[in-house]
Amino acid sequence: MRKALNMKTILLVVMILWVIVVRALSGCSIEKESQDKVKDLEFTVIGENEIPEELQKVILDKQVQPFKLTFSDDQNLYIVVGYGVQESGGYSISVSDLYLTENSIVIDTELQGPEKGTAASAASYPYIVVKTAYMEQPVIFQ
């Protein structure tokens, strides 16, 4: 009886050690997302009359607050960055960078204020719509 009890104890200890070893060897790995540029992407900044109707509706719904979104159709990827309500008009937005990494698309935009000395006008909702070739990668906004 004692021998059977000792064998069960030894078997239990071996199983526990096995679980610990297996978990240690197959532990979760963290995939480091590289932000290194693979290549620059070609893009077009499109005007209001070129924006797909469905996307225009989304922009109108979100324009009061800052927002970042993507939209795609069969051939194109649209990347939109909105800066929310601004006190006046005269703002412009530039695309500092748009490039592909190993596993993502990175976009960096910059809001530029109105020129000094321009007359203040009504509030505005500056946003930019960038059109590029359709890709599956997620977009990282900087």
Side-chain angles (χ1 to χ4, degrees):
M1 176 96 171
R2 231 170 213 261
K3 191 170 183 167
L5 186 59
N6 282 341
M7 287 303 285
K8 285 183 181 180
T9 305
I10 291 172
L11 183 59
L12 180 62
V13 170
V14 167
M15 288 178 65
I16 290 172
L17 288 174
W18 175 253
V19 168
I20 292 170
V21 168
V22 168
R23 291 198 42 97
L25 292 176
S26 67
C28 298
S29 65
I30 297 174
E31 183 178 320
K32 184 178 180 185
E33 289 195 20
S34 173
Q35 295 278 332
D36 295 336
K37 185 186 297 189
V38 172
K39 73 173 189 173
D40 287 317
L41 295 177
E42 292 184 22
F43 67 92
T44 305
V45 175
I46 61 173
E48 208 171 301
N49 59 343
E50 300 172 86
I51 301 171
E53 190 175 323
E54 187 177 343
L55 180 56
Q56 283 180 341
K57 290 177 185 176
V58 174
I59 292 170
L60 283 173
D61 288 343
K62 294 185 175 281
Q63 71 181 357
V64 176
Q65 298 295 322
F67 68 94
K68 299 170 182 176
L69 64 92
T70 61
F71 177 86
S72 61
D73 57 22
D74 294 336
Q75 302 162 340
N76 301 301
L77 173 65
Y78 299 88
I79 303 170
V80 186
V81 179
Y83 286 87
V85 65
Q86 302 297 319
E87 293 178 10
S88 66
Y91 287 86
S92 63
I93 302 168
S94 64
V95 178
S96 303
D97 224 349
L98 179 65
Y99 60 90
L100 185 64
T101 69
E102 285 184 33
N103 47 18
S104 64
I105 299 166
V106 176
I107 186 166
D108 186 16
T109 61
E110 183 179 338
L111 178 66
Q112 298 164 343
E115 292 182 20
K116 294 189 188 256
T118 58
S121 61
S124 64
Y125 307 92
Y127 66 88
I128 189 167
V129 180
V130 174
K131 177 178 153 184
T132 189
Y134 176 77
M135 288 179 259
E136 295 268 334
Q137 291 86 343
V139 176
I140 297 175
F141 296 89
Q142 292 189 331

